[in-house]
Amino acid sequence: RAYAGFLNKLRADVFDDVAKEYLAGGMSPDTHPEEFAGLAKFINVASGRADEVFGMKLSKAAPLLNSVFFSPRFLASRVQMFNPQFYMSLPAPARKMAVRSFVKLLGTGTAIASMATLGGAKVSMDPTNTDFGKIRFGRLRYDIWGGFQQWFVLAARIATGKSTAASSGKERDLTSGAFGQATRLTIAGNFLVGKAAPVPALIMDLMRGQDLVGNKATIPHELWSKMVPIYIQDIATAMQEEGLGTAVASGIPAFFGVGTQVFDAPSKSMLPQIKLPQLPTLPKFPVPELPKIKNPVQ
């Protein structure tokens, strides 16, 4: 409740600051209601509180969507920010602000990632890789893109028909058509399943027998992964895998909204298997049997 209240106040404060510029320019809610309504719409979408997506209203369907998806309005807001029609639907002043804000997001994120590489971090530039744009220090990842990165990777995979694993770097062809191989539909389906609300996700994991990353679906594991806040999970994983230092390095940025994740150590099955050539067996020579010598003491 405190977090939701804080975000609502933040939205109202941003609206008031921009509205003062509108008023100073001679506009008022009475004479230019569309301008102020467009400003409110953009602030809500930019802060993860979309009320519609592709022209469909979400307010009436919110109770149903909340029972199926995790934060459906936030998901809709990320889709809206990638939708050109959303920008065209805004009044001119709000449209300029929206475009300028999105360009600033891309520019600031790129600058931060570039500076991180100078400090020893690794940043993947492959848009089909799960780590695309993330700042990586060893097994610790930072996602500074505010929920946009996942959608961009999904779009790149569907467009190119390629998928690259973050842990091994192995590229998969999504268009091979081979039995059991991942396809564009598989990638899109797993993405939507990953956005499910805790209860539906719990049911799907138990029916599947494992979660999306292959962990066995036991009741303790499912209760921990579905009911405990992700922020707490990230800190606990960092503490267990890397120690207190990594837990602090993961927890502080996560507190301010940066996505953090500590990848598990690669299993033996994920490591490259090196097959040595089989050497020929040496010939066996007969060894003569020596005569037995009695003990002189006896």
Side-chain angles (χ1 to χ4, degrees), residues 39-274:
L39 173 62
K41 179 180 179 180
F42 164 65
I43 292 175
N44 284 333
V45 171
S47 59
R49 191 68 175 175
D51 189 47
E52 65 178 38
V53 58
F54 297 119
M56 298 181 293
K57 288 288 185 180
L58 301 178
S59 55
K60 295 183 178 180
L64 176 61
L65 292 175
N66 283 326
S67 63
V68 178
F69 294 102
F70 184 84
S71 188
R73 287 192 168 184
F74 178 78
L75 298 179
S77 70
R78 304 303 90 170
V79 175
Q80 286 286 73
M81 293 295 288
F82 279 119
N83 182 15
Q85 190 275 334
F86 164 71
Y87 296 93
M88 297 303 298
S89 66
L90 296 175
R95 186 187 311 125
K96 292 178 181 179
M97 181 182 299
V99 174
R100 186 167 61 248
S101 298
F102 195 73
V103 172
K104 283 183 178 180
L105 170 67
L106 297 178
T108 303
T110 303
I112 294 175
S114 300
M115 288 188 293
T117 58
L118 300 178
K122 294 182 179 179
V123 179
S124 174
M125 301 306 294
D126 181 2
T128 66
N129 193 318
T130 310
D131 277 346
F132 173 68
K134 294 181 180 179
I135 300 173
R136 176 179 174 181
F137 291 95
R139 290 158 58 189
L140 178 62
R141 271 85 163 170
Y142 293 108
D143 182 2
I144 61 175
W145 299 102
F148 292 102
Q149 187 264 0
Q150 300 174 3
W151 291 95
F152 190 87
V153 171
L154 175 65
R157 288 177 171 180
I158 293 177
T160 62
K162 303 291 183 180
S163 174
T164 306
S167 55
S168 62
K170 183 179 179 181
E171 184 181 274
R172 295 181 297 175
D173 185 6
L174 304 178
T175 62
S176 64
F179 179 77
Q181 294 295 323
T183 63
R184 289 183 171 98
L185 181 60
T186 306
I187 294 295
N190 289 338
F191 182 86
L192 292 178
V193 169
K195 302 301 181 182
V199 174
L202 172 63
I203 296 174
M204 286 186 286
D205 286 353
L206 293 177
M207 294 178 65
R208 193 188 304 110
Q210 62 182 11
D211 58 16
L212 288 176
V213 296
N215 296 319
K216 187 176 180 181
T218 61
I219 296 298
H221 174 267
E222 291 299 314
L223 291 177
W224 167 260
S225 62
K226 300 298 187 296
M227 302 303 175
V228 177
I230 299 176
Y231 172 71
I232 303 298
Q233 294 184 41
D234 291 340
I235 295 179
T237 302
M239 175 71 77
Q240 181 181 4
E241 296 288 339
E242 297 289 336
L244 180 60
T246 303
V248 174
S250 171
I252 294 179
F255 181 80
F256 291 99
V258 176
T260 60
Q261 185 180 18
V262 177
F263 271 31
D264 296 333
S267 61
K268 293 182 178 179
S269 61
M270 296 171 58
L271 297 177
Q273 303 295 324
I274 301 176

